[in-house]
Amino acid sequence: MTTSIHFDIFTLFPEVFPAYLETSILKRAQEAKIIEVALHNIRDWTTDRHHVCDDMPYGGGGGMVMKPEPIFASVESVLGAPPTCPVILLSPQGRVFTQGVAEELSQQSHLALLCGRYEGIDERVIEHLVTDEISIGDYVLSGGELPALVLIDAITRLLPGALGDPEGAWDDSHATGLLEYPHYTRPPEFRGWVVPDILLSGDHARIARWRRQQALLRTLQRRPDLLEKAELNDSDRDFLAGLSLEE
Ligand code: SAH
């Protein structure tokens, strides 16, 4: 596992990144040098007077297409030609981003993220520069900037030291293959709604067992598809079998 990742972001809208990157966990991760994020405005590599980055699609149709020259120029001048790190295009046509993909990418020390806009980018960029395409879900956004932030956030949480509590990421939904158990904090009673007794009991073994069962229960109720792939032990299976008997 690498301990730090350098992200190079290529975008036409670098200004949308700082507010999110300068907040909370991502801010602290940068201060602690766990991640570095370098923003590159593709428009800075245009050579024409009007700094044009898009043009009409060959063959007609609506919308504009991002031109290949400034994208190649920006990526190759920052990363060399050919780049030695993965060059990931954020795209609704890519493989779908999951916790598993975040874990895979968290092994890298250097990642380039390319953000599309408009109708997308010239296919020659995808064929000859991009090494991976990632989608954050089956819907279409206006640009790859939010998806790039989604990747950076999910990957950074997995790096040692990024979360204040080193155990924080282990139990997270999806990390274990299950959805996480419910959380409660003070007060013990709010508007007559009480915190489950067991969480106040101080009995850590029973609390751990209750949490595991809650995680199993809500995964069964909300995302039964996840249970098929989750790693379950004998007592998990007993608990789930007991539930289906009750129905
Ligand atoms: N015409 C394209 C969509 C373009 S959307 C198509 O139908 O495939 C404009 C840009 O937003 C894309 O180039 C991509 O970088 C980004 N984008 C949109 N939806 C996304 C998603 N679900 N995941 C990742 N990136 C996405």
Side-chain angles (χ1 to χ4, degrees):
M1 153 89 68
T2 55
T3 45
S4 74
I5 302 185
H6 180 93
F7 293 95
D8 281 302
I9 316 294
F10 297 88
T11 171
L12 289 174
F13 299 97
E15 65 275 15
V16 307
F17 287 86
Y20 197 77
L21 291 174
E22 294 305 323
T23 305
S24 183
I25 287 171
L26 293 184
K27 177 186 182 167
R28 285 202 309 272
Q30 289 175 95
E31 286 167 355
K33 301 270 186 275
I34 295 167
I35 60 163
E36 274 175 350
V37 184
L39 298 167
H40 309 287
N41 191 336
I42 295 166
R43 204 174 294 283
D44 293 343
W45 277 272
T46 49
T47 48
D48 62 305
R49 200 154 57 92
H50 297 292
H51 305 292
V52 174
C53 288
D54 58 318
D55 206 337
M56 291 183 305
Y58 276 120
M64 300 297 271
V65 176
M66 284 173 71
K67 292 164 66 63
E69 305 96 313
I71 299 178
F72 270 90
S74 60
V75 172
E76 290 181 340
S77 83
V78 171
L79 301 175
T84 51
C85 72
V87 179
I88 300 171
L89 173 67
L90 287 311
S91 163
Q93 303 186 21
R95 59 190 178 122
V96 176
F97 192 57
T98 60
Q99 193 69 19
V101 176
E103 277 163 21
E104 172 200 321
L105 296 176
S106 73
Q107 310 295 313
Q108 300 283 339
S109 56
H110 192 177
L111 291 170
L113 304 179
L114 174 57
C115 306
R117 277 270 157 182
Y118 318 122
E119 281 304 309
I121 67 177
D122 188 286
E123 189 68 17
R124 289 165 291 186
V125 175
I126 301 171
E127 281 177 15
H128 303 293
L129 185 64
V130 164
T131 59
D132 196 0
E133 291 179 74
I134 292 184
S135 164
I136 63 161
D138 291 343
Y139 40 82
V140 177
L141 300 164
S142 313
E145 288 77 14
L146 282 174
L149 283 169
V150 167
L151 262 65
I152 294 172
D153 189 327
I155 293 167
T156 302
R157 294 175 61 82
L158 296 172
L159 300 179
L163 298 185
D165 170 5
E167 295 185 12
W170 298 352
D171 276 356
D172 271 350
S173 297
H174 303 294
T176 58
L178 300 175
L179 303 181
E180 202 181 32
Y181 51 80
H183 299 283
Y184 295 89
T185 186
R186 279 179 290 199
E189 181 176 340
F190 170 69
R191 296 191 176 176
W193 303 310
V194 295
V195 174
D197 275 345
I198 191 161
L199 295 177
L200 310 178
S201 70
D203 183 338
H204 295 295
R206 280 183 65 218
I207 291 172
R209 193 160 59 243
W210 180 85
R211 285 180 165 167
R212 181 73 186 176
Q213 293 178 348
Q214 289 294 313
L216 290 163
L217 182 61
R218 54 176 52 192
T219 308
L220 178 68
Q221 288 168 337
R222 300 177 188 201
R223 293 291 304 277
D225 56 302
L226 295 178
L227 276 182
E228 285 159 30
K229 282 182 252 157
E231 276 183 36
L232 302 180
N233 58 35
D234 288 346
S235 61
D236 293 339
R237 274 186 285 270
D238 286 349
F239 175 72
L240 289 169
L243 288 176
S244 33
L245 289 179
E246 280 168 27
E247 278 168 11

